[in-house]
Amino acid sequence: LEFKGVGRKTANIVMVYGFHKPGIPVDTHVHRVSNRLGWVDTKMPDKTEFALREIVPKRYWLDLNDLLVQFGQNICRPINPKCNICPVSRYCEYYRNVYLKRQKYKNCLYVNTSSSRIFTFFLLHTAKTTVCSSSSLFPRWHRQSQSSLRLH
């Protein structure tokens, strides 16, 4: 059954909330959260729906949309997600692969010494200063300890 102008999301919402029939309505929150958690690796919501149908048991389909929408609006937001208070961050690919790396460099200072054109990033860690460098930017420097650098 098809209606002009009614997409998969709307049809699934009517099935789930109107008729209490199993379906997975996928909006931006469901799409984002399921991709961030690593459940699926999709670019389009329609693909996300079909991927979720393969991995989520049917008995959870009725509650999935509501849970992921609320979670996506309040915790796993599109901008500035609240990974620090997320109850499932230990299982989340986004947390491991993106959030933790961003936090590592969040307090970095960008220093440009004009005479030598050396770019250095300093990460303040408690009372010690750690130098975070890229080998392509700093071929002569390496990270020896949390508070010192050494020339090769």
Side-chain angles (χ1 to χ4, degrees):
L1 184 64
E2 289 184 24
F3 293 108
K4 186 174 180 172
V6 176
R8 294 200 60 82
K9 175 185 154 190
T10 303
N12 278 316
I13 286 174
V14 170
M15 293 300 291
V16 169
Y17 297 109
F19 296 103
H20 211 65
K21 300 283 183 191
I24 302 177
V26 177
D27 68 348
T28 186
H29 303 292
V30 175
H31 177 68
R32 180 182 62 255
V33 170
S34 56
N35 273 280
R36 280 186 177 174
L37 287 171
W39 292 355
V40 298
D41 184 19
T42 59
K43 303 290 182 205
M44 301 296 296
D46 288 352
K47 303 287 186 202
T48 302
E49 176 194 343
F50 293 117
L52 288 173
R53 285 175 177 264
E54 294 292 320
I55 61 170
V56 176
K58 205 169 190 173
R59 66 179 180 263
Y60 298 120
W61 288 11
L62 292 174
D63 298 320
L64 187 66
N65 178 265
D66 193 38
L67 290 171
L68 292 183
V69 167
Q70 288 185 30
F71 185 73
Q73 289 174 340
N74 298 304
I75 304 290
C76 194
R77 303 181 309 186
I79 300 172
N80 297 323
K82 297 180 179 181
C83 295
N84 58 327
I85 63 167
C86 177
V88 294
S89 62
R90 74 181 108 187
Y91 309 109
C92 179
E93 284 186 14
Y94 177 86
Y95 178 78
R96 286 189 306 270
N97 299 329
V98 178
Y99 181 79
L100 288 177
K101 289 178 184 176
R102 284 185 183 166
Q103 291 303 97
K104 180 178 178 183
Y105 294 104
K106 189 174 184 178
N107 296 323
C108 289
L109 301 174
Y110 178 72
V111 178
N112 180 1
T113 57
S114 57
S115 61
S116 61
R117 298 279 186 205
I118 297 174
F119 299 98
T120 309
F121 296 90
F122 293 97
L123 177 64
L124 303 176
H125 180 68
T126 61
K128 297 179 180 178
T129 300
T130 303
V131 175
C132 302
S133 64
S134 166
S135 59
S136 62
L137 292 175
F138 306 103
R140 298 179 60 213
W141 297 87
H142 77 280
R143 189 173 165 181
Q144 183 184 4
S145 69
Q146 281 209 315
S147 61
S148 65
L149 278 177
R150 194 165 90 176
L151 269 168
H152 283 253

